[in-house]
Amino acid sequence: MAYKTSLMVPKEKPRYNSICSDDELLDDEMDCYESISEKRGSWIDDLGSISTQNSIYLPTRGFVNAPPPREDPASTLIAVIKMGWLDKNPPQGSLIYQRRWVKLDAEYLRYFDTEKDIYSKRIIPTASITGVINVGDQKFEVVTHNRTFLFRAESDAERSEWVTVLRSCVGASRTQQSMDLTFNPCVTSEMKGYLELRGLRSKLYTVVCADKVFLYKSTEDYRLGIGITSIDMNVGNVKEVAGRAFDLTTPYRIFSFVADTEQLKDQWVEAMRDSIAEALSNYEVAERIWSLPANQICADCGTAKPEWAAINLGVVFCKRCAGEHRGLGPSVSKVRSLKMDKKVWTEDLIQLFFTLGNERANEFWAANVPPSEALMVSSSSEERRRFITAKYREGKYRRYHPLFGNQRELNNALCINVQSNDVCETLALVFCGADVNCDTDDPDLPCPIALAQYHGQNLQVEFLTQNRNTELPRSEVDVAIDTVHYMAPPSITHNGFLFKTGSMARPIAEKKGKEEFSRRWCVLNDGHFSYYESDKNATPNGGLKMKEIVCLAVNPPETHGYDHTFELYSDSERLYLFGTDNPEIAHEWVKSIAKSFIPVTAEVLLLKDFQRIGRLRYKDGLNLETSRLGWFCLVGSNLHICLEQQNRDETIDLQKLLELSIQPDNDVLVLVERGRTLYIEGERKLDFHGWATAIQRAAGSSGDTLSLQQLTEADIPVIVERCIHFTTQYGLTSEGIYRKSGVNSRIAALLEEFRRNARCVWLKEGEHQVDDVSNVLKRFFRDIEEGLFGQQADNWLSTTGFSDESMRISQYNLLFSNLPRVNQATLRALMNHLYCVQRFSDLNQMNLHNLAIVFGPTLFQTDGKDYNAGRVIEDLIQHYVTIFDVNEQQLKRQLDEITYIIKLRENLNPKAGPASGDFICTVYLEEKRETAEQHVKIPATMTAAELTFEILDRRKISVKEKDYWCCFEVNDKEETERPLHYQEKVLPIVHSLGTDSYLLLKKYFSMEAMLVYLASKVEVSKHGMMKFKEERNLLGLSTGSFHDRYFILTNTSLRLYKDVRSNRPEREWSIKCLKVYHGIKKKLRPPTCWGLTVVYESEKQEKQERQHWYLCCDTQTEMREWFATFMSIQNGGRVWPAEWLKSRSASRSAPLDSRFGNVSLIPLRGSENEMRNSVAAFTADPLALFRNA
Ligand SMILES: [Zn+2]
């Protein structure tokens, strides 16, 4: 091929269809080659070597002589769609084109120096290509989010062929996850960081990920997904060299790396060796599945060597089809990798794919595919999506079973068929509507799975288990199929002058003066926002596509030199700042821009007066597996959300969040609301940072008025509630409470702490002083803007002018009803508190009048001379019941509780020093009901047996020998419970209980059977199969399903084996670190109801680790035996006291007085009514505890 390696082209400004700012020169294509050679000297020196055979960016010294000209093993897996010579555009400043060998497969566009090269100069995931554009002269542009690659073909025909194939790849699996070179979201990189490559001055960002090593020029490139090359580790070998150096040898090249430290070198070597091991073993499953000829091509499009499978559908498919399968959701298609999800591939599952597999599964799924709809290797992602949705979600091409539509017959047929080995028939039945979980009418074998199991049909069991929760094909699909992108809203047009600064890659921290802005004529038209030097110019200086905008933020007035400014964030992580002094112009632009990038489905957000609007990925509730796209807007302290596939918006009141935190490792913002947790992911750094900051600010005490504080569910500022609460517990007997001044510096510090983040301030006796806290409350009210009574304060004050009491009351009533919501709730809570305080004035000397003198000026923020302020407060406290329409029954109950608290505290020895930690705890009897509450003081020495007897005694419950009363730790959220061992100390358990947990006393019905079982054993140990599931990281993408594993439990450890024949355990845990609970939460879909949840707490102090995993037994007996074995081993063989009833009387004779150490009435459960709840049980008979004393 006669070809000139360099051509002169006229110098012209490169053309970009993407962002291009006039204020900065976008880098030209930053090839690694250029930058590296630049550092070596002048890049021009190297021009002559462009056509040499060695790859220039890699040093030649590591080259292996005469590499075998065999095919790249990786390329056998992924079909090359097109390859050939192209000219690539010159680097910046140069006029000379570079000749490149370009190779395109479904995943990557790569170019090489020569056709023989194995390692590319540049690797661009097709998923990151946003457009392919013809630009004349046989040239075309490949556009990615941040960079445009210009190529030139030899002829127009060649050019149009490239453009066509490239376009067909564009948009294929264009989800954001696949932006990464490391397509599979289940795989996280094992190691990444900078490494020096011998011979190069600049370090390369190196990523070891699964079975590959990727080289990038920089972290920036890594994040954008554009790399230099990838190294398949199945041909790799790692050799340590002296010092910090090591070699990665492949048949084609030696990569001589130098790590920063020797320690890091060790880590790199280990990571790469792991990667090699993984690469080698990864082929095991794939090779086996491919041994069936039909499984060697994609079930949907025919691409060779498909590496993905739907384990519930029984088909194997290629990566591009896998993207569309994933889009169907796991309830339709459970997508797993043959190479990477190794653990999923049990022997049964592999056998199932021999039985079903592409050929037989397609006999069902693709029985009626019209040729016009069939996919080809080259089909576009649009076509794939349409076909795969029709095929599996709608069941459009399936072979209908003769019994279709007859549910009873289908179920019946299923029950019969699962006893045979005909899995294909089962597939047909299930996907034509037979119910996998149907009733068999056999109580011993209640479901088809049990039937199949009983008949030894493992593959049937496997298939049914995989489809336990599968959604049936249905043709009436009401959800939008295109979930990744959205409908472009109708075209919006707007134009005018705005002032603009240069775009930025980091958040704006400083005020931008007017001189930093330039006046630009801005045009919003047809989905483009462009800006021009003036309205006379025809060529824009730069601009943005609307679909590139991910966030629009409106700054508070006067943030910058121009009064009104707003920021646009692009998905390539640029920030654009615009400003104007005219509020209307700013408002118009904000509305127009928002309208043109917010999709129709989220347009309800446009009606809000937002400070920030845009798209983010999130996970929540039942959907922790995959993140979804949501449209968010922030209005004051409310975050409005339009979640994907939901046509309504939701609102989160950020000030009422229970928790708000950022997980720094993975840039996730965690918002915990009552009832749900939302995880917002930092998909891009720049706009995420903006969101996180804005949300945190909005969730804090964002202002000086009552309603801008962090609030409780009941709309009371958190600070008010916490102070009242503390004073009620510890201050009601304190003489002169609210009149005495605390320590000024401490008060100021505490108040500041509350202002910063009230939710995180926990008041504790010993740490905080009653007088400090009471003064914090007063100072809060004194400082609050507008005061508690708001703008109508004067009307309240003048009400005292009415001499008639009932007139005053009805006037207060009226004024109260006119107060804003938060003020109402706060005033009511405060008056309730003050009412209680004065009811105990014999102890604290703060009667009605004294309180009124203190609180009048405080609440009305007067100087103390207005006598009316005190009178209003006096009225409000005195007529508290009438004015606030209080339920007297409740009030009495509350006062009884306080009496109880005081009585308990009176029993303390005031000179005994700080509280030694007895706790008052609520224990439920038999079930969690208010009337079943028992209130018990738990001294440090109390055992579970003592607690049990105390409550039984108190309720006068007589106990028989075989009544195994036991105290359980119950967790409602996890749906688990654990019987405490009779000798177990209760107090540490009480301390560790979360808000979802409580103690419950009930008979332990399994105990008898467990004791019988243990008595029959000579040595306590157990082994056998259980179904096992591990809870990975809460945010992990896959929690997997239950798998059969073999377990051995000895008196030191629990060991897990892959199967019975394995001779080396996969995992081993020390028995001391395990806590075993009955039950598994239903959300995890345990295969049987005989489950155990095991909590592992690592012994290592420095890193508290808590893991959950789940064991599922086939029968109740099995489960009891495992549990009994655990209990016996963990308690040295003592599971139940030998002389149960005798131990009872022993406990009884223990003098109760000894337990009255220092009672610390720290609330145990963090609800707003914690005090009330925790003491409530006593109100019926508050003194019961003292009776035995
Ligand atoms: Zn395919």
Side-chain angles (χ1 to χ4, degrees), residues 595-648:
K595 242 188 241 172
S596 52
F597 84 97
I598 297 295
V600 182
T601 48
E603 68 183 348
V604 56
L605 300 180
L606 295 170
L607 303 172
K608 326 253 182 214
D609 191 16
F610 49 81
Q611 286 104 47
R612 182 174 285 269
I613 190 165
R615 66 172 200 242
L616 291 164
R617 295 198 77 83
Y618 73 96
K619 294 178 186 171
D620 74 338
L622 298 171
N623 246 316
L624 290 178
E625 299 224 342
T626 42
S627 64
R628 303 210 245 166
L629 188 73
W631 294 89
F632 292 71
C633 87
L634 185 65
V635 184
S637 66
N638 286 327
L639 185 64
H640 299 275
I641 318 173
C642 265
L643 300 179
E644 194 177 72
Q645 291 177 3
Q646 290 174 14
N647 287 324
R648 54 195 177 80

Side-chain angles (χ1 to χ4, degrees), residues 297-303 306 316-322 375-377 384 388:
I297 59 164
C298 172
D300 298 324
C301 76
T303 297
V316 190
F317 37 75
C318 71
K319 186 173 204 163
R320 294 187 67 188
C321 292
L375 286 188
M376 288 173 296
V377 178
R384 280 168 211 268
I388 287 166

